[in-house]
């Protein structure tokens, strides 16, 4: 009498058949991706709560009394100061202020600005288009330039062009953006030596043009701040792309592609670059998160009427509701972009999330 071996049992045979069909494998992969997405969403929620806690307590350690700053230079009695503190809720216990702040923030109410006496949400909505225009243009330019130059530098590493671009990128990446902006203003706005003043020193528009002339006027004002952002940020994209592509260039799959008779350009475009883009994609999404925040220093140097300049004004008071609201918007944009990058990663590399 013969006995069935463990390999012949119905469960094992059924498992072998289902694995051969690929259906349970696909279902398991989908389930793993759903668990991956759930974990990332939970992490984003926790991060957003941490942002709310940080934004509330961090800016309350800034020296200064908002009420006294708002009434600076005026004859105000102690009763009037107390009334203002009661009006803004500054006389409540800290824990009560925190719970009220979190409850309103979760409903989209970011409070009322102390100095502008307007809802924080409306102030952010007014300044957001200018910031998106400036930093959005810069992100498109420096991402495209950095990926292109980083690819060429890595593919021809060790040559004169690679050494030049890498050295220039390292130099520009180490330069403070506000310092570079000031140099550009001195050189191209005020004029230095034989170079005349070609561009405005600040602002977004001259205010005396309409139609297509207005578009050209805004573009004229954008040249120097966009150039400042691109000069500093493209260097990071170039260096990351170059490093990622250098890691991929030793892969066996590239040798196999060449052995099949593919041209070098085709190997680079269709095989090496797509794999090398994975770390760069994360960085690009982080840069997209910075679009909402803009560049506070660059906007301040060039007097650009965006969220960066608004944040600087709020800090000088300090205007706590406005500072907290801007901080939540800046951090929330970063959390959202990181979440999108995490969700996109498994689509670019199926090994992620399994």
């Amino acid at each position: 009498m013969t006995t069935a071996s463990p390999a012949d049992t119905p469960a094992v045979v059924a498992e072998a058949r289902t694995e051969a069909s690929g259906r349970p494998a696909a279902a398991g992969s989908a389930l793993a991706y759903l668990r991956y997405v759930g974990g990332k969403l939970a992490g984003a929620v926790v991060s957003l709560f941490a942002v709310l806690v940080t934004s509330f307590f961090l800016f309350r350690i800034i020296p200064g009394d908002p009420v006294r700053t708002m009434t600076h230079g005026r004859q105000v009695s102690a009763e009037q100061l107390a009334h203002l503190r009661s009006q803004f809720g500054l006389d409540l216990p800290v824990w009560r202020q925190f719970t009220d702040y979190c409850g309103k923030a979760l409903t989209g109410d970011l409070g009322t600005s102390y100095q502008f006496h307007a809802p924080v949400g409306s102030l952010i909505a007014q300044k957001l288009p200018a910031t998106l225009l400036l930093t959005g243009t810069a992100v498109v330019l420096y991402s495209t330039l950095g990926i292109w130059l980083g690819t060429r530098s890595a593919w021809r590493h060790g040559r004169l062009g690679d050494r030049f671009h890498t050295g220039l990128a390292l130099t520009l990446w180490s330069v403070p953006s506000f310092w570079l902006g000031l140099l550009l203003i001195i050189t191209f706005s005020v004029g230095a030596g034989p170079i005349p003043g070609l561009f405005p020193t600040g602002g977004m528009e001259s205010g005396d043009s309409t139609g297509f002339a207005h578009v050209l006027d805004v573009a004229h004002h954008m040249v120097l701040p966009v150039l400042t952002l691109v000069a500093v940020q493209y260097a990071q994209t170039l260096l990351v792309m170059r490093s990622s592509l250098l890691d991929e260039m030793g892969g066996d799959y590239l040798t196999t592609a060449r052995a099949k008779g593919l041209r070098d350009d085709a190997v680079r475009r269709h095989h090496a670059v797509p794999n090398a883009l994975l770390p760069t994609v994360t960085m690009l999404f982080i840069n997209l998160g910075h679009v909402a925040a803009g560049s506070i220093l660059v906007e301040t140097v060039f007097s650009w009427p965006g969220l960066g300049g608004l944040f600087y004004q709020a800090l000088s008071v300090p205007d706590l509701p406005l500072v907290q609201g801007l901080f939540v918007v800046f951090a929330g944009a970063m959390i959202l972009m990181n979440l999108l990058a995490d969700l996109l990663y498994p689509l670019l590399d199926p090994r992620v999330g399994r």
Side-chain angles (χ1 to χ4, degrees):
M1 180 176 180
T2 60
T3 57
S5 65
D8 296 330
T9 59
V12 175
V13 173
E15 183 179 355
R17 289 177 179 174
T18 53
E19 286 182 357
S21 66
R23 294 175 183 171
S29 178
L31 184 60
Y33 181 70
L34 290 176
R35 286 198 299 264
Y36 174 79
V37 171
K40 294 301 179 180
L41 289 174
V45 172
V46 172
S47 298
L48 185 58
F49 177 74
V51 166
L52 291 176
V53 175
T54 304
S55 65
F56 179 83
F57 290 102
L58 176 63
F59 298 108
R60 273 167 170 72
I61 64 176
I62 299 176
D65 185 349
V67 173
R68 290 194 174 276
T69 303
M70 287 186 292
T71 57
H72 180 69
R74 304 175 185 176
Q75 293 292 335
V76 182
S77 64
E79 291 77 9
Q80 291 174 320
L81 291 176
H83 176 72
L84 287 175
R85 289 193 176 91
S86 175
Q87 179 181 352
F88 293 123
L90 297 176
D91 60 335
L92 297 175
V94 175
W95 67 267
R96 178 67 182 276
Q97 294 183 43
F98 176 69
T99 55
D100 291 346
Y101 166 70
C102 289
K104 292 180 179 180
L106 292 177
T107 61
D109 183 5
L110 298 176
T112 302
S113 169
Y114 293 163
Q115 56 181 327
F116 297 104
H117 303 287
V120 171
S122 65
L123 292 173
I124 294 176
Q126 292 173 10
K127 299 293 185 178
L128 183 60
T131 293
L132 293 180
L133 176 63
L134 177 66
T135 56
T137 302
V139 166
V140 172
L141 291 177
Y142 70 66
S143 298
T144 304
L145 184 64
I147 291 175
W148 179 61
L149 290 178
T151 301
R152 291 178 62 87
S153 295
W155 206 252
R156 302 175 182 178
H157 65 282
R159 299 184 183 180
L160 179 61
D162 174 39
R163 293 197 296 270
F164 171 77
H165 288 302
T166 304
L168 180 62
L170 289 171
T171 301
L172 291 175
W173 181 237
S174 61
V175 172
S177 59
F178 73 90
W179 184 77
L180 180 60
L182 291 174
L183 286 182
L184 292 178
I185 289 176
I186 293 172
T187 306
F188 296 105
S189 292
V190 180
I195 302 177
L198 301 174
F199 300 100
T201 56
M204 183 177 175
E205 56 186 358
S206 300
D208 55 356
S209 59
T210 59
F212 185 68
H214 177 70
V215 175
L216 293 179
D217 181 40
V218 173
H220 191 214
H221 283 76
M222 285 177 59
V223 171
L224 292 185
V226 167
L227 180 60
T228 302
L229 292 172
V230 170
V232 174
Q233 295 293 336
Y234 102 94
Q236 180 190 25
T237 309
L238 183 151
L239 294 172
V240 171
M241 186 64 197
R242 179 182 181 274
S243 176
S244 300
L245 188 54
L246 285 176
D247 291 339
E248 295 293 332
M249 286 176 61
D252 294 336
Y253 68 96
L254 297 184
T255 303
T256 303
R258 292 189 181 96
K260 291 180 178 180
L262 293 179
R263 293 183 303 171
D264 197 54
D265 287 342
V267 172
R268 182 183 73 245
R269 290 196 306 268
H270 301 300
H271 296 278
V273 171
N275 288 324
L277 276 175
L278 291 177
T280 311
V281 165
T282 301
M283 187 190 62
L284 291 180
F285 273 91
I286 292 175
N287 291 336
L288 288 175
H290 281 299
V291 169
S295 179
I296 297 174
L297 294 177
V298 172
E299 288 191 9
T300 302
V301 168
F302 288 96
S303 301
W304 189 262
L307 295 181
L310 186 64
F311 189 74
Y312 177 79
Q313 290 179 341
L315 279 176
S316 62
V317 173
D319 190 340
L320 293 179
L322 185 54
V323 170
Q324 292 169 176
L326 287 168
F327 184 82
V328 169
V329 170
F330 295 163
M334 290 296 300
I335 293 173
L336 177 61
M337 289 299 108
N338 275 283
L339 177 62
L340 292 178
D342 288 335
L343 298 182
L344 181 63
Y345 238 58
L347 303 179
L348 299 176
D349 187 353
R351 295 170 298 178
V352 178
R354 289 186 176 180

